[in-house]
Amino acid sequence: MRLKDNNNPFIHVNPPYQLMVIHSSKLVYPRELYQRGVERKRVELIAAHFNEYVANEPKVSFRNGQFIVTDGQHTIEGRILRNGGKDLPILCKVYTGMTVEQEALLFAEQNGFSAPLTAGIRQAVDQIKSLALWSKLWSKPNEVSPQAKKSNDF
């Protein structure tokens, strides 16, 4: 399963995100779902060799009133380190209307090519994909899916 651009011929004119400046103190890293933990050595390396011309904007999903980082936490932390450890405004690509499953897919698709996913994170993403599939297949109101019955999550 991949995130689709719905074959929109104007995707490059109207991207699926907005560029927004967000204060780094307002950004949330969803480590319990699909993000990796922040690796201090990687942050220090990014900060030491930071180049504004090649740095990518962090990808952020605005969901439930929070700015959730789906990609770019090390870049954010590198910028903070370069700023003397103080939070600062950061230009971000902000997506709206994404589900947790779509956020996880965006993270996996982005990071599957740039940095290897750990086995634990790959398993979490696979579980989220599996749950998303079950949600689509089992959509009768007032019924509990067989998978939920097995796990006692209802």
Side-chain angles (χ1 to χ4, degrees):
M1 176 185 247
R2 292 183 53 94
L3 291 174
K4 304 255 189 271
D5 64 14
N6 297 324
N7 297 322
N8 183 348
F10 300 105
I11 194 73
H12 300 290
V13 176
N14 298 312
Y17 58 83
Q18 291 183 325
L19 288 173
M20 293 178 69
V21 176
I22 303 170
H23 199 266
S24 60
S25 65
K26 304 294 183 198
L27 298 170
V28 177
Y29 308 140
R31 291 183 191 107
E32 70 282 358
L33 296 175
Y34 51 81
Q35 271 282 20
R36 301 177 185 92
V38 175
E39 298 171 18
R40 185 68 183 170
K41 287 184 179 184
R42 188 167 175 202
V43 169
E44 291 170 355
L45 185 66
I46 288 170
H49 301 283
F50 192 82
N51 182 338
E52 193 64 57
Y53 289 100
V54 296
N56 291 318
E57 297 87 3
K59 291 183 176 91
V60 174
S61 174
F62 184 74
R63 181 173 50 81
N64 298 333
Q66 294 184 311
F67 292 103
I68 301 165
V69 178
T70 60
D71 183 61
Q73 69 180 4
H74 288 93
T75 300
I76 294 166
E77 291 298 320
R79 287 177 184 266
I80 292 170
L81 182 60
R82 288 180 54 84
N83 195 44
K86 298 176 192 164
D87 285 307
L88 70 161
I90 296 179
L91 182 64
C92 300
K93 290 181 179 179
V94 180
Y95 298 79
T96 56
M98 292 179 77
T99 64
V100 174
E101 294 85 7
Q102 289 169 324
E103 291 170 6
L105 284 172
L106 180 61
F107 173 79
E109 287 184 3
Q110 174 69 35
N111 289 284
F113 299 109
S114 63
L117 297 174
T118 64
I121 290 175
R122 174 59 66 192
Q123 183 180 10
V125 169
D126 289 344
Q127 286 175 335
I128 289 170
K129 286 181 187 177
S130 176
L131 289 174
L133 179 61
W134 270 101
S135 296
K136 287 178 187 173
L137 294 176
W138 196 271
S139 60
K140 295 179 184 174
N142 302 321
E143 292 191 38
V144 178
S145 73
Q147 187 173 10
K149 284 181 184 176
K150 280 188 218 173
S151 64
N152 296 320
D153 286 340
F154 60 96

